[in-house]
Amino acid sequence: MKAIVATDQAAGTAGIKLVERPEPQAAINDVIVEIHASGFVPTELTWPSTWADRVGRGRTPSIPGHELAGVVTALGYGTTGLSVGQRVFGLTDWYRDGTLAEYVAVEARNLAPLPGEVDFTVGASLPISGLTAWQGLFQHGRLQAGQSILVHGAAGAVGSIVVQLAREFGAYVIGTGRSADRQKALEFGVQEFLDLENDVLEDVGGVDLVFDVIGGDIGNRSACLTRAGGTLVSIVGPVEARPTDGLAIDFVVESDRAQLGEIVQRVRDGRLRTNIGNVSRLDNAIAAFNSTERRTGKTIIHIHL
């Protein structure tokens, strides 16, 4: 099968190439999925799990990519809950070969059914962005109706879903981004927009929840914006500055079939729109990864389409 492999950690995207690899075999509780579309996060090439297994042994060349939408073609021993021929989408294990390939072996529990009304491109754009938004808002941020939330990167792949879910659940949403992001953030539902290039972040005042996808100075300055009892949620690593009378939480997204079902149902009935940026074929994927253009949404690679 054709697959993208990462071979040189120091080289970044320059160290990935398109090769022929053996098709994977299904272990116990696995399924084999013929991948129709795969999502890709550029920072994957900096993750330790891309280069080493759980006990620290090198595992290159590795296949990156952890989001998929496709069709089940085989079941491993003991696998239940899915069937051959079923449309699925989901998030694969960080430490196993990923989804920038024609086929992948994945634990069945990491997948959810993909309704026929949702195309594979949209399905592949949902797992990381959708689950990150859901878990950050509801598991870690404990968002409640009537609260206010500051969403950094509100026009991005994750931020745009955070905005839509927060609005659905009755929050007042303030979004941030560059000046060029204003219109897109407003279209996704922010009620106020703050231009991080020209406006003063502290003018936002106090909010109940900060959802930070940027970190650094912006993340540190956001800590003082959290009201007493509020929460700063970060997806970019440990929080350096912490709210005086609130919580600071950083987390790594986890696969969850029930949550995937909640997310895709909202896409199916029109309550949620995904934010797709660059779309490419597997044969042209390396050029897409090396693009110098600013990414404005999720990068999707078409494979069996």
Side-chain angles (χ1 to χ4, degrees):
M1 69 174 182
K2 290 182 179 179
I4 297 288
V5 297
T7 60
D8 184 346
Q9 185 171 8
T13 54
I16 61 177
K17 56 186 178 180
L18 182 65
V19 300
E20 286 288 333
R21 288 284 294 269
E23 291 186 16
Q25 301 299 307
I28 295 173
N29 296 323
D30 274 356
V31 298
I32 301 298
V33 179
E34 179 187 72
I35 300 174
H36 287 235
S38 170
F40 179 72
V41 180
T43 57
E44 283 184 36
L45 299 181
T46 68
W47 300 349
S49 57
T50 300
W51 307 102
D53 64 18
R54 284 184 168 84
V55 296
R57 297 172 300 198
R59 65 180 198 91
T60 56
S62 64
I63 301 174
H66 293 283
E67 298 170 281
L68 70 93
V71 175
V72 175
T73 60
L75 306 179
Y77 180 80
T79 299
T80 60
L82 296 174
S83 58
V84 171
Q86 187 169 10
R87 302 171 89 249
V88 293
F89 77 116
L91 179 63
T92 68
D93 189 287
W94 310 121
Y95 292 90
R96 298 178 66 176
D97 277 342
T99 62
L100 290 173
E102 293 183 298
Y103 296 90
V104 68
V106 54
E107 285 188 82
R109 65 177 180 171
N110 291 336
L111 302 173
L114 181 67
E117 300 91 336
V118 179
D119 69 38
F120 290 114
T121 301
V122 171
S125 73
L126 288 171
I128 288 180
S129 298
L131 289 172
T132 298
W134 190 277
Q135 292 166 17
L137 285 174
F138 307 127
Q139 289 181 220
H140 304 295
R142 299 166 298 163
L143 182 71
Q144 298 178 25
Q147 290 185 326
S148 57
I149 176 173
L150 176 64
V151 183
H152 289 310
V158 174
S160 59
I161 295 184
V162 174
V163 168
Q164 293 172 83
L165 290 176
R167 284 294 305 271
E168 178 188 346
F169 282 82
Y172 184 84
V173 182
I174 305 166
T176 75
R178 302 183 186 185
S179 56
D181 297 329
R182 180 185 300 273
Q183 187 56 42
K184 179 177 281 190
L186 291 170
E187 291 172 359
F188 278 115
V190 301
Q191 287 145 295
E192 295 182 38
F193 181 83
L194 185 135
D195 176 358
L196 291 175
E197 297 172 314
N198 300 297
D199 298 332
V200 178
L201 177 61
E202 287 72 17
D203 287 348
V204 167
V207 295
D208 299 298
L209 176 61
V210 175
F211 201 117
D212 181 27
V213 303
I214 299 175
D217 179 63
I218 294 298
N220 291 337
R221 290 164 60 193
S222 298
C224 67
L225 303 177
T226 306
R227 292 177 181 148
T231 305
L232 169 61
V233 172
S234 169
I235 65 168
V236 288
V239 179
E240 296 177 11
R242 310 181 76 83
T244 303
D245 296 309
L247 297 174
I249 297 171
D250 67 277
F251 74 101
V252 176
V253 64
E254 298 179 350
S255 186
D256 187 294
R257 179 180 287 178
Q259 292 173 6
L260 287 170
E262 290 279 2
I263 293 161
V264 80
Q265 180 59 41
R266 285 166 168 77
V267 173
R268 185 182 187 184
D269 63 25
R271 285 178 288 166
L272 185 67
R273 290 187 295 124
T274 188
N275 186 358
I276 296 171
N278 189 18
V279 178
S280 183
R281 300 284 303 183
L282 187 63
D283 289 344
N284 301 318
I286 294 174
F289 302 152
N290 286 319
S291 173
T292 58
E293 297 179 4
R294 180 171 172 248
R295 293 176 173 86
T296 58
K298 171 68 68 173
T299 298
I300 298 295
I301 305 302
H302 285 167
I303 301 175
H304 285 108
L305 279 182

